[in-house]
């Protein structure tokens, strides 16, 4: 009786200690879960509205059917996305496997044995039956009763990892759509720069012809012709680099779409305008990032998984209860096999409590807590990175739009400068150097405008990606 009382008291003390530690650790974990508060609002700007968007197919707002089809093809064929789907299936299988711990294990065994013994090994005064046979069939059950939550916590850990894998899939989806849109935007930027170069080549060729005519009539020296040719051929020399850049962008897009470049090139080689980049963007309030961005949701699920693993490690300190049983038949004679007298059974409730195992369980608990702390910090870092990405994309997009507006006015004045300087040159009232400067400036400003337009589109795509890239799960 004394030993029984001591066992009960020890069990109660251990339970109280474990539950107290669970509560204290949970409070500490909650206090550290978000070390940095989210900003209340983004910096105000007339280009942004802090409300939730309506739909999640954000790329359709560019009104480019070809881009829509490219993203659809990428979602079907991209290998990174398909591998992410495979990881979901793996995590789901692990989760289902952990659920099996709640159910009893049932096994069946049966056999028949016939044996003949040697007559020369016996020294009996009377004859014996040298041939014996034995038949048995038995069904057994082994069931761990999850009193202290060991199985439950491990199942929860695998369940949260399964949920995290789904969020990782969403994150890959967001990244893929953004990469396709960004690659498409860069392709159209290069194509527009090629058009700018070709237009300037045509204009410079006409001006070269004017200088040759004036040289042939003796109005100017050959220097004007040489300078005009220098500008003309330098602009032509920029075309091969642009062509190579266009080819490389098509190759990059083909990888994202899971296609060979030869399949995609006929579709994209023809130049087209940049998609519409001037928009009023719904960015939501900063707190919405916590439920919009898949990477933040995945990090949150991972933290929950490791928190459950800590609970499972603590439950290993406590006893485990098993219910074992079996029922079957055994008989020497098959005629009596299913007779009541051949019935066998066993019922064996069991308690298994490892009181000492070196420091194995202590170190396992420390490792689980360290993993949880690491993932809490990773969660906080993910939130900070998300805020930074949104801020950078917003400032970049706003700056690009302002740059586009300014460059358009610059180009208007640059075109006027070229026209006036060329008119004065034809009249012999100004040197050809003014025309050369105007040509170079116009080409540079036009390229800058196309780059700024492409940059604005890229920043807009980055912004969509930074605030959730489609607001999956809304």
């Amino acid at each position: 009786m004394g030993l029984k009382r001591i066992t009960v008291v020890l069990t109660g003390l251990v339970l109280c200690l474990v539950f107290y530690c669970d509560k204290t650790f949970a409070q500490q974990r909650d206090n550290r879960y978000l070390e940095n508060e989210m900003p209340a609002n983004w910096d105000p700007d007339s280009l942004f509205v802090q409300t939730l968007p309506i739909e999640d197919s954000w790329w359709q707002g560019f009104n480019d059917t070809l881009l829509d089809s490219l993203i659809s093809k990428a979602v079907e064929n991209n290998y990174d996305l398909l591998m992410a789907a495979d990881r979901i299936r793996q995590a789901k299988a692990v989760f289902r496997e952990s659920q099996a711990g709640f159910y009893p294990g049932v096994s069946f065994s049966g056999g028949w044995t016939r044996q003949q013994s040697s007559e020369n090994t016996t020294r009996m005064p009377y004859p014996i039956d040298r041939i014996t046979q034995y038949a048995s069939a038995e069904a057994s059950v082994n069931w761990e009763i999850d009193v202290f939550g060991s199985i439950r916590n491990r199942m929860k850990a695998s369940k949260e990892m399964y949920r995290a894998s789904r969020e990782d899939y969403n994150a890959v989806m967001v990244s893929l759509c953004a990469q396709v849109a960004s690659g498409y935007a860069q392709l159209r930027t290069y194509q527009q720069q090629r058009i700018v170069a070709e237009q300037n080549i045509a204009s410079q060729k006409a001006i070269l012809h004017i200088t040759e005519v004036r040289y042939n009539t003796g109005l100017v020296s050959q220097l004007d012709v040489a300078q005009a040719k220098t500008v003309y051929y330098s602009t032509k020399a920029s075309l091969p680099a642009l062509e190579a850049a266009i080819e490389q962008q098509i190759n990059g897009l083909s990888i994202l779409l899971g296609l060979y470049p030869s399949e995609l090139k006929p579709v994209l080689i023809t130049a087209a305008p940049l998609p519409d980049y001037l928009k009023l963007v719904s960015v939501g309030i900063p707190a919405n990032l916590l439920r919009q961005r898949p990477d933040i949701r995945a990090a949150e699920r991972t933290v929950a998984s490791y928190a459950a693993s800590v609970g499972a490690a603590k439950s290993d300190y406590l006893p485990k209860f098993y219910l074992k049983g079996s029922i079957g038949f055994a008989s020497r004679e098959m005629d009596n096999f299913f007779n009541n007298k051949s019935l066998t059974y066993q019922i064996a409730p069991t308690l298994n409590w490892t009181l000492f195992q070196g420091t194995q369980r202590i170190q396992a608990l420390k490792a689980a807590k360290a993993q949880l702390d690491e993932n809490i910090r990773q969660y906080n870092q993910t939130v900070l990175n998300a805020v930074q990405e949104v801020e950078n994309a917003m400032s970049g997009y706003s700056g690009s739009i302002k740059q586009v507006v300014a460059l358009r006015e610059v180009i208007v004045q640059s075109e006027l400068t070229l026209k006036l300087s060329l008119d004065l040159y034809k009249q012999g009232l100004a040197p050809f150097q003014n025309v050369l400067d105007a040509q170079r400036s116009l080409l540079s400003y036009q390229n800058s405008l196309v780059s700024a337009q492409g940059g604005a589109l890229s920043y807009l795509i980055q912004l969509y990606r930074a605030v959730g890239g489609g607001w999956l799960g809304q």
Side-chain angles (χ1 to χ4, degrees), residues 179-196:
Q179 287 179 23
V180 173
S182 296
Y184 182 79
Q186 190 61 56
L187 171 65
R188 295 310 187 197
T189 300
Y190 286 141
Q191 289 178 336
Q192 290 302 309
Q193 287 179 336
R194 183 182 61 183
I195 291 175
V196 167

Side-chain angles (χ1 to χ4, degrees), residues 84-100 155 158-166:
D86 293 335
R87 288 191 290 271
I88 289 179
R89 293 192 293 111
Q90 295 172 22
K92 185 177 182 180
V94 172
F95 167 53
R96 296 301 186 193
E97 181 182 3
S98 66
Q99 283 183 316
M155 185 274 294
S158 60
K159 181 179 181 180
E160 294 298 335
M161 279 300 185
Y162 164 58
R163 291 177 174 176
S165 69
R166 295 175 60 181

Side-chain angles (χ1 to χ4, degrees), residues 38 99 104 173 176 200 212 254 256 265 281 308-309 351 398 466:
M38 295 284 285
Q99 283 183 316
M173 176 76 77
L176 174 62
N200 277 269
E212 290 175 336
S254 66
L256 293 175
K265 186 175 180 179
V281 186
S309 296
L351 182 146
S398 179

Side-chain angles (χ1 to χ4, degrees), residues 213-385:
V213 170
R214 289 176 63 80
Y215 169 70
N216 292 332
T217 57
L219 296 177
V220 296
S221 67
Q222 192 176 1
L223 177 62
D224 291 359
V225 177
Q227 290 175 327
K229 286 184 178 181
T230 300
V231 174
Y232 172 70
Y233 286 117
S234 66
T235 306
K236 287 191 69 174
S238 66
L239 287 178
L242 290 172
E243 295 289 348
I246 290 172
E247 291 279 351
Q248 292 169 2
Q249 283 301 123
I250 294 177
N251 294 341
L253 284 170
S254 66
I255 296 299
L256 293 175
L257 270 64
L259 302 173
Y260 289 103
S262 58
E263 300 177 75
L264 194 59
K265 186 175 180 179
V267 179
L268 296 177
I269 197 63
T270 303
L274 282 165
D276 184 17
Y277 56 86
L278 187 57
K279 293 183 177 297
L280 186 66
V281 186
S282 298
V283 295
I285 59 176
N288 286 329
L289 283 181
L290 298 178
R291 59 192 181 93
Q292 291 172 191
R293 282 183 59 123
D295 57 342
I296 294 180
R297 295 204 300 266
E300 184 178 6
R301 296 296 187 187
T302 303
V303 168
S305 174
Y306 281 107
S309 296
V310 170
K314 290 181 178 181
S315 66
D316 288 339
Y317 283 96
L318 304 175
K320 297 182 181 297
F321 296 90
Y322 298 91
L323 181 60
K324 299 180 180 180
S326 64
I327 187 171
F329 295 91
S331 175
R332 292 180 178 274
E333 302 295 335
M334 293 301 298
D335 294 340
N336 301 324
F337 188 76
F338 292 104
N339 192 289
N340 290 337
K341 294 181 179 181
S342 300
L343 178 66
T344 65
Y345 69 89
Q346 180 186 24
I347 299 176
T350 306
L351 182 146
N352 185 3
W353 193 359
T354 303
L355 298 178
F356 180 76
Q357 200 177 18
T359 61
Q360 179 179 351
R361 286 193 170 91
I362 296 175
Q363 299 306 323
L365 180 58
K366 287 183 178 180
K369 288 182 177 180
Q371 287 180 320
L372 177 59
D373 289 341
E374 177 190 358
N375 281 271
I376 289 174
R377 292 184 175 89
Q378 182 62 45
Y379 173 85
N380 284 298
Q381 186 63 46
T382 303
V383 173
L384 288 177
N385 290 340

